Amino acid sequence: MINNFFIIIFTIACFAFSQNDGQPPLFINIPPIETFFNNSDIEIETQVSDLSPISKVILYYKFSNDQGYSSTIMEQDINYSANIPSDDISGSTLMYYFFAEDIYGNQSSYPELGSETPLKVAINNSLD
């Protein structure tokens, strides 16, 4: 009798937690603390959380107002991170934003307006 009770409670709990929470992923911004140079790779990080499993996190970036955004899938370790190779770097300002989606299709961007209000960081000339 007690075993059946625990099986029923476990089944209900699994069903409740596997449902679409209806909420998009939440970002916690991690501002870069290092100086970026145009002859070195750039690593960008963010934290993303959701009650549902996250299916993808994408970094969109560009180096000029008149070019389109490039994108790369972010990998998860403790945080989500992506590497921009030094060969892609051009210009003195990196503009970027994040996009995340959970397994139920709930989506969010950070900053909220994404490409319209990207985060910006200065790129310094090399010391060579």
Side-chain angles (χ1 to χ4, degrees), residues 29 32 69 93-98 110-111 114 117-121:
N29 187 34
Y69 282 91
T93 303
L94 167 63
M95 293 170 268
Y96 65 98
Y97 69 96
F98 305 102
Y110 184 86
T117 59
L119 300 167
K120 297 178 183 180
V121 69

Side-chain angles (χ1 to χ4, degrees), residues 44-86:
I44 301 292
E45 290 185 297
T46 192
Q47 288 183 348
V48 184
S49 63
D50 197 337
L51 293 176
S52 305
I54 295 171
S55 63
K56 63 183 167 186
V57 179
I58 302 172
L59 169 67
Y60 289 91
Y61 65 93
K62 68 179 183 174
F63 295 93
S64 171
N65 283 328
D66 49 6
Q67 70 180 19
Y69 282 91
S70 297
S71 65
T72 186
I73 300 290
M74 301 187 80
E75 300 293 326
Q76 183 184 22
D77 187 8
I78 294 172
N79 299 319
Y80 284 87
S81 65
N83 194 56
I84 302 171
S86 60

Side-chain angles (χ1 to χ4, degrees), residues 87-102:
D87 293 343
D88 288 356
I89 300 171
S90 63
S92 60
T93 303
L94 167 63
M95 293 170 268
Y96 65 98
Y97 69 96
F98 305 102
F99 170 85
E101 182 175 46
D102 67 20

